[in-house]
Amino acid sequence: MPFERGRFAPSPSGPLHFGSLIAALGSFLAVRSQGGQWLVRIEDVDTPRSVPGAADHILHVLERFGLIWDGPVLYQSQRTDCYQAALDVLKTAGLVYPCTCSRREITQHSSGGDLIYPGTCRNGSGRTDRAPAMRLHTAAQPIQLVDGIQGVYRQCLESQVGDFVVRRADGLFSYHLAVVVDDSAQQITQVVRGSDLLSSTPRQIYLQQCLGLPTPRYSHLPIAVDRQGNKLSKQSKTMPLDERYPTVELFAALEFLGQRPPAELVRSTPVTLISWALEHWRPKQIKAELNKPCATLSCLRTCEEKA
């Protein structure tokens, strides 16, 4: 059996919240329960969105919650040469082309709520007065994966997404290109993350195929939503994790993931609770659902005060 490697890859655009904890804990338990390594990557390729000090705070919180990673932390902002090398491979293969379309122009050609690139610049018809982005030619053949939690997922990139950006007009590399290059460089064998990224996975698999890189196994956890069905996120100003009560929030995350920790462990330490979770990790108990309501963070805080 090959040695397993997983990763947690937060964006330093703000502090970790309960939804972040679910992704971190799920990826940690999935790989460590198999005796593998758990790596941490700071996905700061989108430098304008990075908040000063957020990366260091994220690492501090992970340590506080007993989620200790293996090896050095990888920072995407330090790896632009690697992404450029991958883009050069795509250029040499004739798989990318410059595009000067604005988001508004693409929206005008899209129907419904899906923003699908119509291929306007595929034949070199872009404008000369704008800096171009670089888009990847997509194909009509569907990309299919068997997700470890969500089951079979299929997407035709050409008709459902369109040619997608691998380098933005401002010169920054796309998340998709960076994550594919980094997963290969770090020899990641399994990716466990939130289901909000499930629809992005075919793009990443296609990029892996274009670059001749291995494809890891994917498992997409349900994402936590509030009572109104809104995803817990930094953009929605979800309350950050409370460092005063790490065990209570870890306990709630385990329950969210379908695990059943003994009630008395809510008053234990993070190390004790995580040790129990590693021994009793049952991924089949995670339901195949894209999102799942959780206690509001105000309720969590009330439970913490009572604990």
Side-chain angles (χ1 to χ4, degrees):
M1 181 177 178
F3 188 76
E4 294 293 328
R5 275 192 169 187
R7 46 78 164 177
F8 175 57
S11 168
S13 56
L16 298 181
H17 51 76
F18 186 67
S20 311
L21 179 61
I22 291 165
L25 184 61
S27 61
F28 178 94
L29 294 174
V31 71
R32 285 286 184 84
S33 64
Q34 301 175 66
Q37 292 182 333
W38 186 67
L39 309 181
V40 169
R41 176 192 310 155
I42 300 297
E43 294 198 333
D44 56 352
V45 67
D46 191 353
T47 49
R49 293 183 63 242
S50 296
V51 175
D56 289 341
H57 186 256
I58 285 170
L59 299 179
H60 165 75
V61 170
L62 290 175
E63 290 180 327
R64 180 76 178 91
F65 279 67
L67 299 173
I68 308 301
W69 57 92
D70 297 295
V73 177
L74 185 144
Y75 293 82
Q76 287 188 332
S77 58
Q78 300 173 4
R79 292 178 49 76
T80 54
D81 289 348
C82 300
Y83 309 143
Q84 182 61 54
L87 181 60
D88 290 342
V89 170
L90 297 174
K91 284 181 178 179
T92 300
L95 294 174
V96 293
Y97 61 90
C99 170
T100 57
C101 295
S102 67
R103 185 176 181 85
R104 176 179 294 180
E105 289 167 343
I106 297 171
T107 302
Q108 290 173 347
H109 289 88
S110 298
S111 59
D114 296 326
L115 197 63
I116 301 172
Y117 182 67
T120 307
C121 295
R122 257 194 177 193
N123 299 316
S125 58
R127 298 172 54 164
T128 59
D129 59 339
R130 293 178 183 170
M134 297 298 295
R135 288 187 180 272
L136 180 69
H137 280 280
T138 54
Q141 182 177 357
I143 299 290
Q144 177 174 301
L145 69 141
V146 181
D147 188 84
I149 296 173
Q150 304 300 334
V152 175
Y153 183 78
R154 185 182 296 105
Q155 186 183 76
C156 177
L157 293 176
E158 187 175 68
S159 61
Q160 293 178 263
V161 176
D163 300 342
F164 58 93
V165 171
V166 289
R167 193 197 67 197
R168 297 179 354 189
D170 60 6
L172 295 177
F173 292 95
S174 75
Y175 160 75
H176 299 296
L177 182 65
V179 74
V180 162
V181 170
D182 292 340
D183 280 344
S184 176
Q186 293 187 293
Q187 298 179 304
I188 299 301
T189 61
Q190 57 177 270
V191 174
V192 179
R193 57 189 182 185
S195 64
D196 54 326
L197 292 170
L198 178 59
S199 63
S200 299
T201 306
R203 274 169 274 184
Q204 293 164 23
I205 293 175
Y206 182 64
L207 263 172
Q208 290 156 358
Q209 295 172 350
C210 291
L211 292 168
L213 301 178
T215 296
R217 301 187 308 281
Y218 291 94
S219 295
H220 288 84
L221 306 166
I223 60 169
V225 296
D226 61 22
R227 290 176 178 174
Q228 288 72 46
N230 300 312
K231 172 190 170 185
L232 302 186
S233 68
K234 298 166 188 174
Q235 288 74 22
S236 61
K237 302 187 185 303
T238 299
M239 289 179 65
L241 293 171
D242 193 331
E243 298 176 47
R244 298 174 299 167
Y245 308 104
T247 307
V248 172
E249 299 214 41
L250 283 167
F251 191 95
L254 283 171
E255 290 194 321
F256 181 91
L257 290 170
Q259 312 304 300
R260 301 183 181 91
E264 61 269 18
L265 289 182
V266 76
R267 296 180 180 273
S268 66
T269 65
V271 171
T272 299
L273 183 55
I274 287 174
S275 294
W276 178 91
L278 284 169
E279 186 177 348
H280 298 86
W281 176 241
R282 301 292 184 271
K284 290 185 178 180
Q285 293 175 190
I286 303 172
K287 292 184 178 180
E289 50 192 342
L290 296 180
N291 56 66
K292 178 179 178 180
C294 68
T296 63
L297 291 189
S298 60
C299 289
L300 275 175
R301 301 301 179 242
T302 302
C303 292
E304 289 166 352
E305 296 294 344
K306 290 180 179 179

